[in-house]
Amino acid sequence: MTIIYDKIAIIGVGLIGASIALAARRAGLAASVTGCEIDSAKAGEIEKLGLVDHVTTDAVAAVQDADLVVMAVPVGALGPLAAQIVPAMKPGAVLTDTGSTKRSVLRDVDPHISGDIHWIPSHPLAGTEHSGPAAGFAELFDGRYWLVLPREVPEDEVVRFESFVTGMGSVSERMDADYHDKVLALTSHLPHLIAYTIVGTAVDLESQLKNDVIRFSASGFRDFTRIAASDPVMWRDVFINNDEAVLEMLQRFSEDLSYLQRAIRWGEKDKLETLFSRTREIRRSIIDAGQS
Amino acid sequence: MTIIYDKIAIIGVGLIGASIALAARRAGLAASVTGCEIDSAKAGEIEKLGLVDHVTTDAVAAVQDADLVVMAVPVGALGPLAAQIVPAMKPGAVLTDTGSTKRSVLRDVDPHISGDIHWIPSHPLAGTEHSGPAAGFAELFDGRYWLVLPREVPEDEVVRFESFVTGMGSVSERMDADYHDKVLALTSHLPHLIAYTIVGTAVDLESQLKNDVIRFSASGFRDFTRIAASDPVMWRDVFINNDEAVLEMLQRFSEDLSYLQRAIRWGEKDKLETLFSRTREIRRSIIDAGQS
């Protein structure tokens, strides 16, 4: 139990923000944690759940004496938020975010950074389909990667931040924004887009068929509906803000899908079996990598 | 513990066949269960696992005195198998299958049925991404639907078969082949095809990116790799044999995906958020239906 940041402020106490509060307190990484939610009903819920030491609806007040400020809001809201809070932060404090896109975060937040705070963008590769403060739990980050983008910050501040995320149970890994957005486009953004699409296709079926699709929803579709239950605003912002990489991966995916579509239409069994056998190996690699 | 069929023969003791053996024995639904695998190495494995009372590599010998014969092989193998075993079955015995497509099964098996056996096609909506006899477990069908296609068979034989599948823990439900293939195309076949495709897209990435996609595989992609690890031969046969319904659903899916693709390209936030909110409701319906 070593305190790494005396005072932490978390702006946006949803699934991720609440889990950071719980994981940091579990490991005793901070002397006090303040949570900020502009919506007063949500702020009341956070208070009732006892997730943080202090709750406020005022972001500027929340960050004033914080040693670490975590922006855990949808990526589309980061620019305006940074503009509001950075001037109120104390010199030497660390600012981070948890956004699922990184090029857009640099584009939106960088212009508001002043020389005397340390801006370390980051992204924990963890989440569930649930959202809101009650969905948070202390174990969310255990064994999961937390990607860190160092930027122009003293190395000891980056190392300190990394010890904070590993203290919460994560595995820390540095990455640059371009590469991050490409990797995430395929591992996370495209799968979510596809899940949203196929569940949306079901929504539009005539009603008897739609009811039976729900009733007899087999493995496959059931997994997709879970993914497609994720927070709509967060994901809307992800696609808008990683459009370039998502559209590129989507193009590759569509080509590959057309290839399989053609193989089905022409009854080309060998092509199907060959691909289906190759994809099995990827699963094995992921299990070997301990990320299953 | 009521015996429903004195002797059961299961042809093909993979995930589904092995689970049927275990579920039937758990509930005491049969006096003896014979398992048949033409591959002698696999037959040895089944013997060693103790899944059934008797193991044989000879399908004709397996079915000769059976009261219920279950064909649990890939759908592409059902026609030749029926041609081989039906003439050896005793009068009054019941023949069923577990195939994931039903129109093709009727097309391939019906011509081989003689008047004195009862042919009741069926499909348990249960499975995992694992395959082979060691993957089977007695609880696989608990609470899952088992679709039954009555055909021209005496009602009491259908009711008896339904009591067998409910005895294994399933919920029995009658359905016709056309409707079955349509519902399954969307709930199961298309999701598998898409999962195979996106994991295949990852297979083809340049090697550094591919390695990092595996390493940082987040929720979403991880779920897809699990689905895409399913048995390649079984799934090859599913797509070839339900091509019409799969291609129709794929067409709808592609249109819907293009719509979202365009919304991303043009930054149409509202369209994305509206769809993502609607798909959440489907998940809620599935949880309410007890199939989550």
Side-chain angles (χ1 to χ4, degrees), chain B:
Chain B
M1 311 275 277
T2 312
I3 289 175
I4 295 174
Y5 296 106
D6 196 43
K7 294 185 176 177
I8 297 179
I10 300 170
I11 318 294
V13 188
L15 166 67
I16 299 296
S19 297
I20 291 173
L22 294 168
R25 294 172 87 191
R26 174 184 69 167
L29 305 176
S32 92
V33 179
T34 297
C36 171
E37 268 291 346
I38 41 167
D39 182 285
S40 59
K42 270 197 194 166
E45 191 190 348
I46 294 157
E47 185 119 49
K48 232 173 69 183
L49 289 166
L51 299 171
V52 293
D53 301 299
H54 310 284
V55 185
T56 174
T57 56
D58 180 350
V60 168
V63 305
Q64 261 160 358
D65 58 354
D67 303 287
L68 171 69
V69 174
V70 181
M71 301 184 289
V73 298
V75 288
L78 284 171
L81 177 62
Q84 186 195 359
I85 61 172
V86 169
M89 285 175 65
K90 66 180 189 188
V94 172
L95 177 69
T96 191
D97 76 307
T98 60
S100 303
T101 67
K102 285 273 127 347
R103 299 208 310 167
S104 76
V105 168
L106 302 188
R107 178 196 69 206
D108 295 348
V109 175
D110 279 5
H112 305 294
I113 300 301
S114 67
D116 51 6
I117 69 154
H118 305 303
W119 162 226
I120 308 176
S122 80
H123 178 204
L125 301 188
T128 74
E129 73 276 21
H130 304 293
S131 48
F137 57 102
E139 299 76 22
L140 179 61
F141 309 111
D142 286 352
R144 295 281 163 224
Y145 281 105
W146 195 306
L147 305 179
V148 175
L149 290 78
R151 315 284 290 150
E152 291 148 14
V153 162
E155 174 66 15
D156 59 340
E157 288 294 344
V158 179
V159 170
R160 189 177 166 208
F161 180 72
E162 288 176 319
S163 70
F164 176 73
V165 306
T166 56
M168 288 191 293
S170 279
V171 179
S172 174
E173 179 82 23
R174 299 188 190 188
M175 197 178 272
D176 75 49
D178 287 353
Y179 195 68
H180 170 280
D181 282 10
K182 213 178 229 188
V183 170
L184 269 288
L186 188 63
T187 56
S188 173
H189 306 169
L190 186 55
H192 274 81
L193 187 70
I194 287 165
Y196 277 124
T197 304
I198 192 167
V199 177
T201 304
V203 170
D204 294 334
L205 292 172
E206 50 274 42
S207 87
Q208 178 58 33
L209 188 54
K210 176 183 155 187
N211 289 342
D212 283 334
V213 161
I214 290 168
R215 191 156 164 234
F216 302 112
S217 105
S219 129
F221 189 71
R222 241 195 342 267
D223 296 325
F224 282 36
T225 63
R226 195 177 48 65
I227 300 171
S230 302
D231 187 53
V233 172
M234 176 199 149
W235 281 99
R236 174 201 72 187
D237 279 9
V238 166
F239 296 121
I240 297 294
N241 286 288
N242 194 21
D243 54 341
E244 204 178 298
V246 168
L247 290 172
E248 190 204 315
M249 289 300 174
L250 187 51
Q251 186 56 40
R252 292 182 185 223
F253 168 81
S254 296
E255 287 166 17
D256 293 344
L257 187 59
S258 296
Y259 176 86
L260 282 185
Q261 184 169 7
R262 193 173 188 282
I264 292 172
R265 197 177 297 282
W266 292 94
E268 296 171 324
K269 298 170 104 170
D270 293 350
K271 277 190 185 167
L272 296 176
E273 192 181 341
T274 303
L275 176 72
F276 298 171
S277 301
R278 287 173 72 205
T279 56
R280 259 197 165 173
E281 293 160 26
I282 286 263
R283 177 65 183 173
R284 212 157 289 142
S285 312
I286 285 176
I287 291 169
D288 292 345
Q291 294 289 309
S292 71

Side-chain angles (χ1 to χ4, degrees), chain A residues 210-260:
Chain A
K210 176 182 156 187
N211 288 342
D212 283 334
V213 160
I214 290 168
R215 192 157 163 233
F216 301 113
S217 106
S219 128
F221 188 72
R222 241 191 346 264
D223 295 325
F224 282 39
T225 61
R226 196 178 46 66
I227 300 171
S230 302
D231 187 52
V233 172
M234 174 198 151
W235 281 99
R236 175 201 72 188
D237 279 9
V238 166
F239 295 121
I240 296 293
N241 286 289
N242 195 20
D243 55 340
E244 204 177 298
V246 168
L247 290 172
E248 190 205 315
M249 289 299 173
L250 187 51
Q251 186 56 40
R252 292 183 185 223
F253 168 82
S254 294
E255 287 167 16
D256 293 344
L257 187 60
S258 295
Y259 175 86
L260 282 184

